[in-house]
Amino acid sequence: MRLFKIDLNKKKVERVSENKGKIKEFAISPDKNWIVTNENQNIHYKYDNKIPPRQFLYNLEKNTREEIFTKESLDPNGYKWALDSKGFYCSYKISNEPDDDYISIPALYYFDVEEKEGQPVPMDWEWKLGFFGYYVTADGVLASLANGPRNKLAFYQKGGGNWKKHELKGEKYKNIFIDAVSSDGKKVIYNYTTADKPAVIKTAKIQDHELIEKKKIIQLNKWMEKKEIARSEVIEWKGAKGDKVNGIIYYPHDYDPDRKYPLMLSIHGGPSGADLDRFSESWADYPNILTSRGSFVLKVNYHGSGNHGLEWVDAIREKYYEYEITDIMTGIDHLIDKNMVDEDSLGIMGWSNGAILAIQSVIESDRFNVAAPGAGDVNWTSDYGNCAFGAGFDNAYFGGPPWERPQYYLNKSPLFKMEKVTTPTIIFFGTEDTSVPTEQGWQHYRAMQQIGKAPVRFLLFPGEPHGLRKLTHKRRKMEEELRWFNKYFFGTHKEPNEAFKEDSPLAEILKLEESASSNGLFGKQYKDKLIPETVQQDSLKVGKFEVTRAQYAEFDSDYEYDPVTGNYPANDISAQEAQAYCMWLSDLTGKQYRLPLKKESKSLIDLVKSSQDANNLNYWAGYEINIDDAGEIKNKIEQLNKKELLQPVGNFTPVGKNNIYDLGGNVAEWCQSEDEPIILGPSAITPVNVKTDYESPAQEYVGFRIILEE
């Protein structure tokens, strides 16, 4: 890679650099007079530390190039120029091993272009820079400091050869994460989030090293406001070496302090990653799905995790597995001792290094009911040669290459201890993974499959690297994983019956039998009243059936009907009566019930695929009638002497994920438009034509269904 200067007006291209190495990073000063570059001399340096990169400073006015950082190997990166163009900031690595900085933490550095000298910024913070870097401001730099599971912000100001630190104090600053600083260094965009609060994007002004005039500018994922989100907190316990370990605990959605719950361990990768007190849900780690199913979720910042300082991240150098597993196990014991967790219901999952630790955990203990490792190593000797960064990782954590320490590598590799595993295990890998090569998954699967002491499943995702990228693959991973958890962890899995067909008449009857009923009447009892049953459809909780006559009569004692027709839809209902019923139901239950909105009704009706499989005029005619036919059919209906064509609710095939009945007919239903209630949808005497709007039927064929607000 070379640098070029392009004049768009003159359409002229001028080459700037004559470098032999590959420029992996560069930054141009605000006054456009300087460029700093970082040039790779050897693509393997990141892993073997043999030929370091070189850094150069270009003076565009004088057309010169000068090598900098020659006195010491800092391996600087993340260049950001001061706004006065007199120098730039970068981060550099601090390590306990001068010849091997693979295990390290970042610190802040400033380079003066006139003096051609640099110096570490005195951060007055032992753990140095955090995961979220630093941003140039009008009079210095705003840095994110490593602070365990939370953030810490501080301004650093240079003046007269000295540095001043201005720390932002206050509980809320622990959960503020800077996203960007304006070009003049006077405004910031940041997000505020906790593990149980999705991010809110805000802006603020920088004044006297404080953030003032904070304003919310973006509300992401507003639909989540209607979702229940698991309560979370940062907890601590005593782990390996008697050290204090922290983690994030997520509570079950139905948490009752008098009960014990299952516990799923969700282990982060790295090893130098970390779990922070900020909202996070992904295909690899989804605490709220698990907590919604009645489980605690614990994330552990084990020894070796980042954002906790050099001593912590370096603790597992040549001690790999020895402290992390203890941290995980003592975290479990801590929750069991607090009578929160059922010790007989434990699971563990993770990706990359999280998978590696999950695999080792089920080797060292048979306490787990289920394991779900994704992209995890089992054979460190083959990893050294096949992994893209095998030399760097294995030399650092295992103290040298396998030919120097063959027995050590053998002892560390889970592959040679697989006979100990009795935990049902599902394994995930991408076929193009070079960080944890796919053959590691094959070795893991082959060993468990041949030993045969525990169920095992292996899923390969074609074309995927170390992390899954395709949405379909992410979804498939979660679905298969949750199915495995349902079977071996939650105990809710039901084996499919191959002889039973989901679209058979028998299946339709069984679906209907699953509906709540009381004395043969659909609905559920609440305070001795029969009320509608609701089911989830996307973001709505909607009535499974149209409100029945028996249900409506609980509200209106003057409503008359033949008791034999109690499961027929309430009909001849006015808009005012439907709304009054919703108000009565809300007062009765303490919950909010209402009519569907117009757009909600339309989205529900759109679920119906076949007009003949519903109680409408097409069904009675026996074919897909057109508008002209409809008039003649209606004439025939009048010969019935107004005999009802209504049917009991639930007589036709349901739609939606959780079975909603009669959206394609029976009674047309009231819904709320912008101005006033309107009637929408087909009825037993309504012709159905997808190319035209539904016409309102006679009042005796009008009813409604309810929506439960949450």
Side-chain angles (χ1 to χ4, degrees):
M1 176 175 155
R2 307 290 185 267
L3 293 181
F4 293 85
K5 184 164 59 176
I6 303 174
D7 189 321
L8 295 178
N9 293 326
K10 297 180 180 180
K11 298 182 180 180
K12 181 180 178 182
V13 178
E14 177 184 349
R15 182 166 175 167
V16 175
S17 69
E18 298 292 339
N19 53 292
K20 294 182 179 179
K22 178 181 178 180
I23 297 176
K24 63 176 183 177
E25 182 183 3
F26 73 94
I28 186 168
S29 64
D31 64 8
K32 308 297 188 293
N33 291 332
W34 304 92
I35 297 177
V36 58
T37 65
N38 199 350
E39 300 179 10
N40 253 343
Q41 310 301 307
N42 175 10
I43 61 173
H44 300 293
Y45 175 73
K46 182 178 179 181
Y47 313 123
D48 62 21
N49 285 68
K50 289 185 177 180
I51 304 176
R54 299 167 67 187
Q55 295 78 36
F56 294 90
L57 184 65
Y58 291 76
N59 187 323
L60 298 182
E61 283 187 318
K62 298 179 180 179
N63 198 26
T64 61
R65 173 179 182 256
E66 179 180 359
E67 186 171 4
I68 55 178
F69 297 114
T70 57
K71 295 180 181 179
E72 52 187 336
S73 178
L74 296 177
D75 193 15
N77 62 83
Y79 302 128
K80 294 183 180 180
W81 282 88
L83 298 187
D84 60 11
S85 298
K86 293 181 179 180
F88 61 83
Y89 297 91
C90 61
S91 68
Y92 69 100
K93 295 179 180 179
I94 297 177
S95 174
N96 283 334
E97 295 292 329
D99 297 326
D100 184 359
D101 61 7
Y102 189 89
I103 302 175
S104 60
I105 62 172
L108 190 59
Y109 199 88
Y110 178 80
F111 187 89
D112 188 305
V113 295
E114 293 296 336
E115 299 294 333
K116 302 297 190 298
E117 289 184 359
Q119 64 176 134
V121 175
M123 305 190 71
D124 189 26
W125 187 253
E126 183 182 1
W127 291 359
K128 306 304 180 186
L129 279 176
F131 285 162
F132 301 95
Y134 49 92
Y135 294 85
V136 174
T137 64
D139 59 359
V141 65
L142 173 58
S144 165
L145 307 181
N147 193 34
R150 294 193 170 99
N151 202 10
K152 193 175 187 68
L153 296 171
F155 288 96
Y156 292 90
Q157 182 180 14
K158 186 177 186 297
N162 297 316
W163 292 86
K164 290 183 179 180
K165 177 185 178 184
H166 305 273
E167 186 176 312
L168 278 73
K169 296 181 179 179
E171 285 299 312
K172 285 201 170 183
Y173 282 118
K174 293 180 180 179
N175 293 90
I176 282 179
F177 302 89
I178 305 299
D179 294 311
V181 175
S182 61
S183 58
D184 63 4
K186 295 180 179 180
K187 293 182 180 180
V188 300
I189 294 177
Y190 67 92
N191 69 83
Y192 176 82
T193 176
T194 66
D196 54 15
K197 182 178 178 61
V200 177
I201 311 301
K202 296 186 176 184
T203 183
K205 290 182 180 179
I206 300 173
Q207 181 174 303
D208 297 327
H209 306 106
E210 286 290 337
L211 302 185
I212 65 169
E213 298 182 22
K214 303 182 182 75
K215 297 178 182 178
K216 183 169 75 172
I217 57 172
I218 300 174
Q219 177 69 58
L220 298 175
N221 301 316
K222 195 171 178 62
W223 58 271
M224 290 185 66
E225 292 179 354
K226 297 182 179 180
K227 297 291 184 181
E228 183 174 357
I229 295 178
R231 174 164 68 93
S232 72
E233 60 180 307
V234 177
I235 62 172
E236 294 180 338
W237 64 92
K238 188 178 290 186
K241 303 195 299 180
D243 292 339
K244 190 179 291 184
V245 180
N246 68 64
I248 314 293
I249 183 76
Y250 297 80
Y251 284 75
H253 284 192
D254 63 349
Y255 178 64
D256 178 349
D258 294 326
R259 281 182 55 196
K260 294 181 181 180
Y261 291 83
L263 171 66
M264 177 63 70
L265 278 296
S266 183
I267 310 301
H268 72 72
S272 56
D275 287 308
L276 307 180
D277 185 23
R278 65 194 309 234
F279 192 82
S280 176
E281 296 280 330
S282 73
W283 59 270
D285 167 42
Y286 40 86
N288 269 281
I289 292 180
L290 296 172
T291 54
S292 71
R293 299 191 178 198
S295 172
F296 277 106
V297 174
L298 177 64
K299 299 182 179 183
V300 181
N301 285 318
Y302 49 81
H303 282 81
S305 299
N307 222 49
H308 288 72
L310 182 58
E311 181 182 352
W312 194 260
V313 77
D314 196 66
I316 60 172
R317 186 189 294 271
E318 298 188 50
K319 299 286 185 182
Y320 198 77
Y321 293 131
E322 297 174 31
Y323 299 149
E324 310 99 291
I325 305 301
T326 300
D327 294 339
I328 292 169
M329 298 300 178
T330 54
I332 298 171
D333 295 336
H334 172 71
L335 297 175
I336 291 174
D337 291 343
K338 291 173 72 68
N339 292 317
M340 298 167 68
V341 164
D342 180 356
E343 62 182 337
D344 295 322
S345 297
L346 302 175
I348 191 165
M349 62 187 294
W351 198 269
S352 191
N353 198 76
I356 291 168
L357 296 182
I359 294 166
Q360 186 68 14
S361 293
V362 300
I363 285 175
E364 295 192 18
S365 173
D366 62 358
R367 69 195 305 185
F368 295 97
N369 303 88
V370 71
D377 283 281
V378 294
N379 186 344
W380 292 111
T381 302
S382 60
D383 176 85
Y384 189 94
N386 292 341
C387 171
F389 49 86
F393 185 100
D394 298 344
N395 284 335
Y397 288 107
F398 302 140
W403 53 86
E404 291 181 3
R405 313 191 75 187
Q407 191 60 45
Y408 188 84
Y409 271 72
L410 189 69
N411 293 339
K412 287 290 181 182
S413 296
L415 179 66
F416 305 104
K417 304 169 188 174
M418 282 293 159
E419 74 282 354
K420 297 181 179 180
V421 178
T422 58
T423 302
T425 302
I426 186 167
I427 304 164
F428 303 100
F429 263 88
T431 61
E432 307 306 312
D433 194 339
T434 58
S435 296
V436 179
T438 311
E439 50 89 15
Q440 294 287 333
W442 280 115
Q443 292 183 62
H444 186 187
Y445 171 74
R446 178 64 57 81
M448 287 194 66
Q449 185 262 340
Q450 287 295 303
I451 293 168
K453 287 187 177 181
V456 62
R457 191 153 186 244
F458 184 26
L459 273 77
L460 276 174
F461 295 97
E464 293 285 16
H466 189 52
L468 303 184
R469 296 180 180 179
K470 291 184 178 180
L471 182 60
T472 52
H473 290 165
K474 294 176 181 180
R475 179 169 179 169
R476 176 71 185 277
K477 182 263 184 186
M478 292 176 66
E479 289 175 341
E480 295 290 351
E481 195 167 43
L482 287 167
R483 191 174 292 114
W484 196 260
F485 290 165
N486 286 343
K487 185 172 185 178
Y488 295 107
F489 184 58
F490 293 112
T492 58
H493 176 72
K494 296 180 181 179
E495 291 291 343
N497 184 335
E498 295 299 331
F500 177 71
K501 303 304 179 185
E502 291 293 338
D503 58 352
S504 66
L506 176 59
E508 300 302 330
I509 295 175
L510 291 173
K511 288 176 185 176
L512 199 58
E513 285 294 311
E514 292 174 357
S515 301
S517 63
S518 177
N519 297 322
L521 297 173
F522 289 124
K524 57 184 182 179
Q525 287 291 329
Y526 185 88
K527 294 183 178 180
D528 297 325
K529 299 290 186 180
L530 186 68
I531 67 172
E533 177 187 3
T534 60
V535 293
Q536 193 76 41
Q537 177 62 36
D538 297 328
S539 61
L540 291 177
K541 272 209 166 181
V542 59
K544 188 169 188 175
F545 305 102
E546 294 162 327
V547 174
T548 67
R549 294 174 179 175
Q551 293 167 2
Y552 187 79
E554 298 278 23
F555 154 69
D556 183 358
S557 58
D558 294 330
Y559 183 77
E560 296 182 357
Y561 69 97
D562 185 336
V564 176
T565 65
N567 277 334
Y568 280 59
N571 62 313
D572 198 9
I573 303 295
S574 69
Q576 291 75 21
E577 289 170 330
Q579 291 172 323
Y581 177 87
C582 291
M583 292 178 63
W584 169 82
L585 192 57
S586 299
D587 291 339
L588 174 71
T589 62
K591 298 181 179 181
Q592 186 65 41
Y593 288 86
R594 61 174 174 81
L595 294 177
L597 302 178
K598 180 180 178 181
K599 63 179 181 179
E600 293 170 342
S601 287
K602 284 190 172 183
S603 69
L604 291 170
I605 295 170
D606 286 344
L607 296 173
V608 180
K609 303 301 181 183
S610 172
S611 64
Q612 291 193 52
D613 197 13
N615 186 14
N616 52 51
L617 199 57
N618 294 41
Y619 166 75
W620 292 111
Y623 65 97
E624 297 289 330
I625 64 175
N626 57 41
I627 299 300
D628 294 330
D629 296 337
E632 297 183 18
I633 298 292
K634 286 182 178 180
N635 290 334
K636 291 291 184 181
I637 291 176
E638 291 179 359
Q639 298 176 19
L640 296 174
N641 296 319
K642 295 188 177 180
K643 181 181 178 181
E644 286 187 345
L645 296 183
L646 295 178
Q647 299 284 305
V649 297
N651 262 16
F652 292 82
T653 303
V655 297
K657 295 180 180 178
N658 294 304
N659 302 324
I660 307 174
Y661 291 85
D662 299 306
L663 287 171
N666 226 1
V667 289
E669 300 175 12
W670 285 108
C671 66
Q672 186 66 48
S673 68
E674 294 181 359
D675 301 320
E676 59 183 358
I678 62 171
I679 300 168
L680 199 64
S683 74
I685 59 169
T686 305
V688 178
N689 187 318
V690 295
K691 295 181 180 180
T692 61
D693 291 333
Y694 300 109
E695 62 180 59
S696 296
Q699 188 65 27
E700 62 188 298
Y701 286 95
V702 176
F704 68 105
R705 77 176 67 227
I706 49 85
I707 297 290
L708 171 58
E709 283 278 16
E710 285 193 332

